[in-house]
Amino acid sequence: MTSARTSVPGPLDVIVVAVADRTGADLARDLIGAGHHVAVAGPRITRLVDLVAGTSAPAMVVDLDDPTMVGDMIARVGRRLGPVTLVADPGGAITVGPWRIDDVVTTRGESAQAA
């Protein structure tokens, strides 16, 4: 179940940030800088590498329009960092499946995997 999130992410949240534009990149930078468990995903490797350089945040090249790739990416993040609790897509880049969001959403108590 997803719902709009209005509070600040907690220290145990695992956050995936879709980075397809400057807004996503800025959000990822802010979350990583604040010490959150973050993974970044997007279509361009150079933008992702620049974001995670010097951090432990994983970066994944993903076609955000491909439901299989998005589902696989969320599952991989879950295996590496723990169950994904937040997906942030400030630019509206994810256009497929249950991940189509325009803001930060939460899936408290369950991993955000393909339905």
Side-chain angles (χ1 to χ4, degrees):
M1 180 166 122
T2 60
S3 62
R5 184 179 180 93
T6 58
S7 62
V8 175
L12 300 180
D13 284 320
V14 174
I15 307 162
V16 174
V17 178
V19 178
D21 62 11
R22 184 180 178 138
T23 305
D26 289 345
L27 177 61
R29 239 182 245 102
D30 289 348
L31 291 169
I32 291 168
H36 291 285
H37 303 283
V38 177
V40 295
R44 292 190 294 279
I45 188 66
T46 52
R47 177 173 280 173
L48 300 176
V49 168
D50 290 344
L51 280 173
V52 300
T55 75
S56 61
M60 293 169 223
V61 175
V62 176
D63 177 352
L64 299 170
D65 292 323
D66 182 322
T68 301
M69 288 185 79
V70 172
D72 289 347
M73 175 267 304
I74 290 175
R76 285 186 311 201
V77 171
R79 286 191 298 274
R80 180 165 177 183
L81 299 178
V84 174
T85 55
L86 299 171
V87 177
D89 183 18
I94 299 175
T95 60
V96 295
W99 308 282
R100 176 65 179 126
I101 53 176
D102 295 317
D103 200 352
V104 178
V105 300
T106 182
T107 55
R108 291 275 176 225
E110 56 189 72
S111 179
Q113 296 180 14

